[in-house]
Amino acid sequence: MEIYLVRVRERPEGSLYIDRKPHATTDDDYIAISHVWGSPDTVQKARIDGVSWEVPLSPGKQDILSLLRRDDICGDGWFWMDLFCIDQTESAFISISDQIMAIPSVYKSSRCVKVLLESPVCKEWHEAAMQFFENGPINQDGFQEEELIHGRSCTHHAFADPWFERLWTRQEGLYASVLHFIVLRPVQCERRPKDAMDAWVVHGTLLAHRFRVNTFLVDKLAYHGLTSAAEDTVFSLYFDVIYRHRVNITLAYDCEPGPARSYNPIRDAWRSQRSTTKPRDYVLAVFPDIEGYRVPAKPREMSFPQLLHDAINQPAVSAKLQFVSKISQGVAGPSRKAKKSLLPWLVVNPGNIGEAYDTFTADAVDASGTGSGIAEARMWSLPGGIQLQDVDATASGLEALIKDNWGRTADINRHVALLSPAGPCTGVTRRAPPAAAFTQEFMHLAVSQWMPEQQMSMLEPRTKGVLPAVDSAMTDRVGEDVFANELRRFLVCLICGVSLPTADRVLELADVVRVMTPHGPLLGVVHRATKLEAGQDQLRLLCSASSYMQGFYIGLLIEGGVSVRGRTVIANKGVWDSIESFLSLGR
């Protein structure tokens, strides 16, 4: 595959310049550079000798050529770096679409991927961590606690670098078999005393940073075929990345070059919650992982929704992945066109890939390869009529909602598997608490933020930085309106498997309801105007082949068919048994 490769050369008078290789392919010997461009307010464009366009440089890369020429980075060898090797000029002999499509191969084929970390990293703690390593087997729990204790007073940790937050760098890290992490700013320890509340906030921030790193490591192992890696394997990889700064995934962890057959690029990217400055990159950074996907012509002139609709409708993509709407267009904005109402409602300017992919999911097509587009999904009406009822969004009503609705008819295990890691239903890890208890526990946490500061300070944080569940007098402290609003937000996240920003957008146009059916009550989300205006005889409960991922549709009869206006929870076995009983009796 043709690509551009460059190297740093020195002129006779000592100045440095970029030299482009006349002809290069991914079969050449080269290093690939992975880095974060930096925030727009700190990046400055500069002219680099040998490059015909202005290059955006972050503060840590102002002397970019001297940096790259370091022996521990590129030396005088050939390398690929997006700043110099994605050519958007009219004279480029490789089209921009082909250059973007080549990025996965660029990183997979490189001799090594060098990751540039620009954040300050405490030398004292790094030396202490390496001493732990040299003294023998590390007690994982003890080490991680010491790491947090140090971080509460000195926050300069490698795991807090923005590289672990950006989407493009995630992809680059997944592709690489050999990774070297280069700390550009080692600094002296800067311990600063903090009061109890500040220390608690810092503690939670550190946990969030570390969670993002562990999410990447789990994804990295899954990409290479280790879908159920043991906890000590993940910790070993964590230490290799954060402290030893190098890893050969195929040799050290007995993996194969990715992607593994079981790897789901859409779902795993969504769970990463990473961000990028341009919404279109939520498609361009992920979909090239799907064999057969083609970047359309002039992708930089297309919006995120346009690129996504193009991607999921490409035959090669739909042949491999079945896309399913978690929140369809009919929920957020009703359509008189039945097919359009099935399509996912998309956030135009998402804050991260979690929000970008929140409203749909994807699963591998069955062995027969009979995947179909969302709009072509077949639906059929379930027996019996339905009624839509308002939910009792109070503290006293919560117990009934959980016991008589959620616990009775929802497939809790499937919901736990599909919940957004950034939502309020799962805490700060992917490990779900006991299915019967997690709803009550985390609902209380969702509203605890509204407590007065004095009462907040009286709550002693747990060791892991999570507030303990509070008592039933919560509504007295935060008020009924706040509790009701937080409960509705929580339930949208629970029912649809989305994050809070997405839930807020949904609740601008939709409501949480109890769907009364002959097979038991089902919690659901439905377009508000439809709930208020539609007659009972106009509503239908609809099933599709993907109901195991999205629940049942709530449909409205329209001329020429049915328009989707809502969805329910994913039904459990008891509901399906009732449906089969109805069908067998011919009701």
Side-chain angles (χ1 to χ4, degrees):
M1 183 176 290
E2 285 191 316
I3 59 173
Y4 295 116
L5 290 177
V6 297
R7 61 182 174 180
V8 179
R9 303 287 284 172
E10 184 176 354
R11 299 189 188 280
E13 77 280 5
S15 64
L16 301 177
Y17 69 98
I18 286 290
D19 176 35
R20 178 186 283 185
K21 197 171 187 178
H23 177 74
T25 73
T26 50
D27 292 330
D28 292 357
D29 180 59
Y30 63 94
I31 287 169
I33 300 295
S34 179
H35 70 109
V36 173
W37 279 39
S39 59
D41 57 329
T42 61
V43 168
Q44 296 181 347
K45 290 189 175 182
R47 284 289 181 183
I48 303 296
D49 192 357
V51 182
S52 61
W53 57 85
E54 288 187 320
V55 177
L57 298 176
S58 59
K61 296 193 289 284
Q62 290 298 310
D63 191 9
I64 184 68
L65 298 188
S66 297
L67 180 70
L68 293 171
R69 206 161 187 249
R70 281 171 37 175
D71 289 338
D72 61 337
I73 301 181
C74 297
D76 58 3
W78 296 105
F79 65 91
W80 188 97
M81 187 178 190
D82 54 3
L83 296 178
F84 308 124
C85 298
I86 294 183
D87 188 344
Q88 301 182 55
T89 63
E90 293 183 359
S91 60
F93 64 85
I94 306 175
S95 71
I96 186 63
S97 296
D98 287 344
Q99 291 182 64
I100 293 173
M101 285 296 301
I103 289 176
S105 293
V106 166
Y107 284 90
K108 291 176 186 178
S109 303
S110 65
R111 171 172 25 112
C112 173
V113 172
K114 299 289 182 79
V115 177
L116 307 183
L117 303 181
E118 294 187 48
S119 298
V121 175
C122 176
K123 292 191 291 186
E124 178 182 313
W125 171 249
H126 182 264
E127 292 169 0
M130 292 305 296
Q131 191 65 46
F132 276 111
F133 176 76
E134 292 170 3
N135 288 341
I138 297 177
N139 179 291
Q140 179 179 336
D141 292 337
F143 176 83
Q144 291 183 327
E145 188 62 31
E146 288 293 328
E147 187 179 56
L148 291 174
I149 290 172
H150 185 273
R152 284 198 290 267
S153 57
C154 177
T155 58
H156 299 325
H157 280 271
F159 62 72
D161 191 87
W163 189 89
F164 296 102
E165 301 174 4
R166 305 310 292 267
L167 181 61
W168 279 108
T169 54
R170 173 188 180 270
Q171 304 303 108
E172 294 157 6
L174 290 183
Y175 302 143
S177 292
V178 180
L179 279 164
H180 289 179
F181 290 79
I182 312 297
V183 176
L184 300 182
R185 288 183 61 196
V187 297
Q188 298 298 324
C189 186
E190 297 181 4
R191 292 179 180 268
R192 297 175 182 174
K194 296 177 176 63
D195 60 34
M197 184 58 70
D198 286 342
W200 181 76
V201 172
V202 170
H203 186 105
T205 302
L206 292 172
L207 283 175
H209 284 311
R210 201 161 67 181
F211 169 66
R212 277 192 285 267
V213 175
N214 281 319
T215 297
F216 166 70
L217 301 180
V218 171
D219 287 350
K220 175 74 174 165
L221 292 168
Y223 182 82
H224 293 279
L226 292 181
T227 55
S228 56
E231 189 173 345
D232 57 348
T233 300
V234 178
F235 178 72
S236 176
L237 183 56
Y238 176 85
F239 203 90
D240 285 346
V241 168
I242 299 301
Y243 295 105
R244 298 183 69 201
H245 299 324
R246 57 184 56 216
V247 61
N248 186 323
I249 195 75
T250 55
L251 290 181
Y253 295 90
D254 194 25
C255 297
E256 295 295 328
R261 289 176 60 87
S262 58
Y263 178 70
N264 186 323
I266 304 301
R267 193 176 298 171
D268 286 357
W270 165 70
R271 284 189 174 128
S272 75
Q273 302 293 308
R274 292 209 182 191
S275 62
T276 181
T277 55
K278 301 177 180 65
R280 63 172 179 260
D281 288 340
Y282 293 122
V283 175
L284 299 178
V286 176
F287 274 82
D289 281 354
I290 303 172
E291 185 180 357
Y293 168 76
R294 296 298 303 173
V295 175
K298 299 182 179 180
R300 297 180 185 274
E301 297 178 9
M302 299 173 68
S303 67
F304 162 66
Q306 289 172 330
L307 280 166
L308 183 61
H309 282 304
D310 168 80
I312 64 180
N313 287 310
Q314 289 190 19
V317 174
S318 59
K320 293 178 175 61
L321 291 173
Q322 175 72 52
F323 287 84
V324 174
S325 297
K326 292 195 293 183
I327 299 175
S328 64
Q329 290 189 16
V331 175
S335 171
R336 303 300 295 180
K337 297 180 179 179
K339 288 186 176 181
K340 184 178 179 181
S341 70
L342 282 167
L343 296 173
W345 170 70
L346 300 177
V347 179
V348 177
N349 291 304
N352 56 51
I353 197 167
E355 294 177 26
Y357 288 13
D358 243 356
T359 58
F360 65 93
T361 187
D363 204 5
V365 300
D366 58 34
S368 63
T370 55
S372 62
I374 295 175
E376 284 71 42
R378 292 186 59 191
M379 298 183 295
W380 57 93
S381 180
L382 292 175
I386 63 172
Q387 286 184 312
L388 304 181
Q389 297 181 353
D390 291 327
V391 298
D392 182 5
T394 64
S396 59
L398 175 60
E399 183 176 355
L401 277 175
I402 301 309
K403 182 178 179 181
D404 299 333
N405 297 272
W406 170 257
R408 179 179 167 189
T409 56
D411 187 328
I412 296 174
N413 290 330
R414 285 198 180 276
H415 273 280
V416 169
L418 294 173
L419 286 173
S420 168
C425 309
T426 56
V428 295
T429 72
R430 289 190 186 182
R431 295 179 184 174
F438 81 92
T439 309
Q440 295 97 321
E441 178 179 354
F442 287 109
M443 177 55 210
H444 286 304
L445 299 183
V447 298
S448 64
Q449 63 178 307
W450 297 97
M451 295 176 65
E453 184 175 350
Q454 182 179 4
Q455 293 178 350
M456 277 284 289
S457 63
M458 293 171 62
L459 295 173
E460 183 178 352
R462 292 177 180 170
T463 304
K464 299 299 183 183
V466 180
L467 283 173
V470 292
D471 56 40
S472 58
M474 176 67 75
T475 51
D476 295 335
R477 298 171 179 170
V478 303
E480 291 184 358
D481 290 343
V482 167
F483 188 92
N485 182 60
E486 291 303 311
L487 177 55
R488 291 188 182 96
R489 298 173 78 212
F490 179 88
L491 289 173
V492 172
C493 294
L494 186 64
I495 295 165
C496 303
V498 298
S499 60
L500 283 170
T502 302
D504 289 336
R505 294 183 178 103
V506 169
L507 285 171
E508 292 175 4
L509 296 166
D511 282 334
V512 179
V513 295
R514 179 191 291 108
V515 185
M516 303 304 295
T517 80
H519 321 292
L522 298 162
L523 290 176
V525 177
V526 69
H527 182 251
R528 184 174 295 118
T530 300
K531 183 194 75 170
L532 296 174
E533 299 169 6
Q536 182 178 341
D537 59 339
Q538 296 177 284
L539 298 173
R540 295 291 184 272
L541 195 63
L542 306 172
C543 180
S544 74
S546 55
S547 289
Y548 72 99
M549 286 196 294
Q550 65 183 162
F552 300 129
Y553 289 121
I554 300 171
L556 176 71
L557 292 177
I558 60 173
E559 184 178 352
V562 179
S563 173
V564 170
R565 299 300 175 89
R567 61 158 292 178
T568 71
V569 295
I570 301 171
N572 63 15
K573 185 177 182 297
V575 174
W576 285 107
D577 288 345
S578 175
I579 292 171
E580 290 180 5
S581 176
F582 262 66
L583 292 173
S584 65
L585 294 174
R587 296 187 189 180

